[in-house]
Amino acid sequence: MWCVARLELSRLFLSPFAWVMLALVQFLLAYLFLSHIEYFAQIQGQISAIPGAPGVTELVIAPLLNNAALVMLLIAPFITMRAFADEHRNHSLPLLISAPLSASQIVLGKYLGYLSFFLLQLLLIAFMPLSLMTGAAIDLYQLGAAMFGLLFLVASFVAAGTFISSLTTQPIIAAVMTFCLLFLLWIIDFAAASTLSGQINWLGWISLLGHFQPMLAGQVNSVDLSFFALFCIVFLLMTIRRLDAARLSQ
């Protein structure tokens, strides 16, 4: 499993695509980060006299990490699209599934390889809010909860992308399908919130955004953690099932 993870991670960094993604994400988020700081500096004098006014954590860090979540949603389909689609396209899947590894080891190895890339991305993102500690008081608990939520969110993106990549032979089709699914699960919370009928209130429960927002605000609860864990497990199990079916058909 770990050798598969190392192989997938090395494949990512052997291509310029991963490096370009890392650079673009950092550039975009750095620009947004500085924009949030500038906005906070402009209104700081106005809100300083208000009791219980939001601070740098609420006005700079939380919006930054919310933007980071959207950026991760955009790039995750393009990072995970090659997980199995490339194996199909290059006709190397039979060689992969004939290796002395179980389907679960192969799937988890690929999943951990791609997740490692995003862990590096999140580590670089975390340096931005932490840099504010030199000149401002930040809520470390809220920052930790938000980063924890972002990690679970990204893990869900990777799990869904890995599964969808196993359904097609074309990476670009996998990317489009993954984006459509993730975007639907992201905005479905708005549909649930704008509908008065109690019959579709369950839509809010399957919303990725609905479970990420409380953690972004510093509220970590078992319901949100269970949702993300179940989301990852379901998609990984479906991927394992898909790979087992491909192995039996050989």
Side-chain angles (χ1 to χ4, degrees), residues 207-225:
S207 166
L208 293 171
L209 178 62
H211 291 281
F212 172 64
Q213 288 291 349
M215 302 181 78
L216 187 63
Q219 303 169 14
V220 180
N221 58 71
S222 59
V223 174
D224 297 326
L225 295 179

Side-chain angles (χ1 to χ4, degrees), residues 100-113:
L101 295 170
S102 66
S104 59
Q105 288 176 314
I106 295 173
V107 171
L108 289 176
K110 283 183 172 287
Y111 175 73
L112 292 174

Side-chain angles (χ1 to χ4, degrees), residues 16 28 100:
L28 176 60

Side-chain angles (χ1 to χ4, degrees), residues 85-108:
D86 241 12
E87 305 285 356
H88 282 290
R89 188 178 61 173
N90 297 331
H91 305 290
S92 58
L93 185 62
L95 180 62
L96 177 64
I97 61 180
S98 64
L101 295 170
S102 66
S104 59
Q105 288 176 314
I106 295 173
V107 171
L108 289 176

Side-chain angles (χ1 to χ4, degrees), residues 182-243:
L182 295 179
F183 185 69
L184 176 63
L185 293 176
W186 187 266
I187 66 170
I188 203 170
D189 187 57
F190 297 107
S194 62
T195 304
L196 298 178
S197 173
Q199 296 181 350
I200 66 167
N201 283 341
W202 58 271
L203 290 177
W205 194 86
I206 63 173
S207 166
L208 293 171
L209 178 62
H211 291 281
F212 172 64
Q213 288 291 349
M215 302 181 78
L216 187 63
Q219 303 169 14
V220 180
N221 58 71
S222 59
V223 174
D224 297 326
L225 295 179
S226 299
F227 169 81
F228 286 122
L230 185 61
F231 188 96
C232 294
I233 290 171
V234 167
F235 275 99
L236 290 176
L237 286 177
M238 289 193 297
T239 311
I240 293 170
R241 181 69 175 173
R242 175 74 177 173
L243 197 61

